[in-house]
Amino acid sequence: MAEISAKLVQELRQKTGAGMMDCKKALKENDGDLAKAEEWLRKKGIAKAGAKADRVAAEGLVGSYIHTGGRVGVLVEVNCETDFVARREEFQTLVRNIAMQIAACPNVEYVKVSDIPADIVQKEKNIEMGRDDIANKPDNVKEKIVQGRIDKRLKEMTLLDQPYIRDQSITVEELVKQAIAQLGENIQVRRFVRFVLGEGIEKQESNFADEVAAQMGNK
């Protein structure tokens, strides 16, 4: 695989407006070929998305999804730039698909990695640092292993890093970027909440044998 230099990444960023990590990934996927990497970004909808990322998105929709049986429900706010786009069928479909994604991912708690509180990150790091399989490794090796595991764990907790349930070849973040390219506006998933029937309620557990014995005694 060709070495991907910072200069090459920067050049692709200037040509496409895409983010640094997206550009680096595109170059890796295309063996450092700038033209092919640019085409790859455009196919993914990432090139146009990067150029719009800083634009204010204050319109949009609060969408909902109730899973069959009514035991799981989701509310999600997805923002765009104008009410016109918010009323478009494509945007409404995107919001519904994102709500369904959240319902299907019970371990997802945050929209993106940067939303995860520092104390949660530190807690995960402490857990990984204490694992037996790295106890005897040198500190520098241990740090690299732990960082890799932490990065993986944090992505498991975030919506945008999940494989999209309808197309496992892309992430939810890439799905949103495709919508940005299609609709021509900045689109951001702002927040969500998941409701699970009975969650948090302490249910009374009874011992069937004890109940029978008690009833027999009462007689």
Side-chain angles (χ1 to χ4, degrees):
M1 180 181 289
E3 184 178 348
I4 310 301
S5 68
K7 182 179 179 181
L8 196 59
V9 173
Q10 184 61 29
E11 186 176 350
L12 185 58
R13 286 192 70 186
Q14 290 174 349
K15 288 171 71 71
T16 63
M20 182 181 70
M21 296 308 295
D22 287 324
C23 288
K24 192 171 183 180
K25 182 178 180 181
L27 287 163
K28 282 185 176 179
E29 291 285 337
N30 293 280
D31 294 322
D33 188 305
L34 193 63
K36 288 182 179 179
E38 183 178 353
E39 183 180 352
W40 186 89
L41 286 170
R42 295 192 186 284
K43 284 181 179 178
K44 295 276 187 180
I46 295 172
K48 292 181 181 178
K52 296 177 174 65
D54 293 330
R55 287 167 26 180
V56 176
E59 295 293 335
L61 290 174
V62 173
S64 64
Y65 172 72
I66 307 297
H67 191 60
T68 304
R71 302 188 67 84
V72 177
V74 168
L75 287 175
V76 60
E77 179 180 348
V78 183
N79 299 128
C80 57
E81 297 177 44
T82 66
D83 185 53
F84 171 75
V85 164
R87 293 196 304 269
R88 288 184 57 171
E89 184 179 348
E90 298 93 334
F91 183 81
Q92 294 176 7
T93 299
L94 172 69
V95 175
R96 178 168 176 78
N97 285 340
I98 290 173
M100 290 177 66
Q101 176 84 33
I102 295 165
C105 298
N107 295 325
V108 167
E109 301 177 50
Y110 305 95
V111 174
K112 52 187 181 296
V113 170
S114 60
D115 293 340
I116 302 177
D119 61 321
I120 299 295
V121 177
Q122 187 59 50
K123 179 183 175 182
E124 293 295 331
K125 185 172 183 178
N126 292 342
I127 291 171
E128 293 300 334
M129 288 294 285
R131 292 199 183 278
D132 293 340
D133 63 339
I134 61 170
N136 297 321
K137 295 186 182 296
D139 287 344
N140 61 328
V141 175
K142 186 186 295 187
E143 192 69 33
K144 287 182 180 179
I145 293 172
V146 167
Q147 190 58 54
R149 290 178 177 179
I150 290 294
D151 290 344
K152 183 176 183 292
R153 174 66 185 127
L154 296 184
K155 286 183 177 181
E156 289 173 351
M157 298 167 67
T158 56
L159 173 65
L160 294 182
D161 288 298
Q162 299 304 304
Y164 177 42
I165 53 175
R166 291 178 177 268
D167 180 358
Q168 298 283 309
S169 68
I170 64 171
T171 63
V172 175
E173 183 175 23
E174 289 170 333
L175 173 72
V176 172
K177 287 177 177 178
Q178 288 176 1
I180 293 172
Q182 179 186 18
L183 297 171
E185 289 192 2
N186 185 18
I187 296 172
Q188 299 287 329
V189 182
R190 186 181 178 210
R191 53 186 171 173
F192 66 85
V193 61
R194 182 194 299 103
F195 299 93
V196 179
L197 185 67
E199 188 176 50
I201 300 174
E202 187 175 343
K203 298 178 182 178
Q204 184 176 354
E205 298 292 340
S206 59
N207 186 298
F208 182 70
D210 289 345
E211 281 186 15
V212 173
Q215 290 175 8
M216 294 284 287
N218 290 336
K219 291 179 179 179

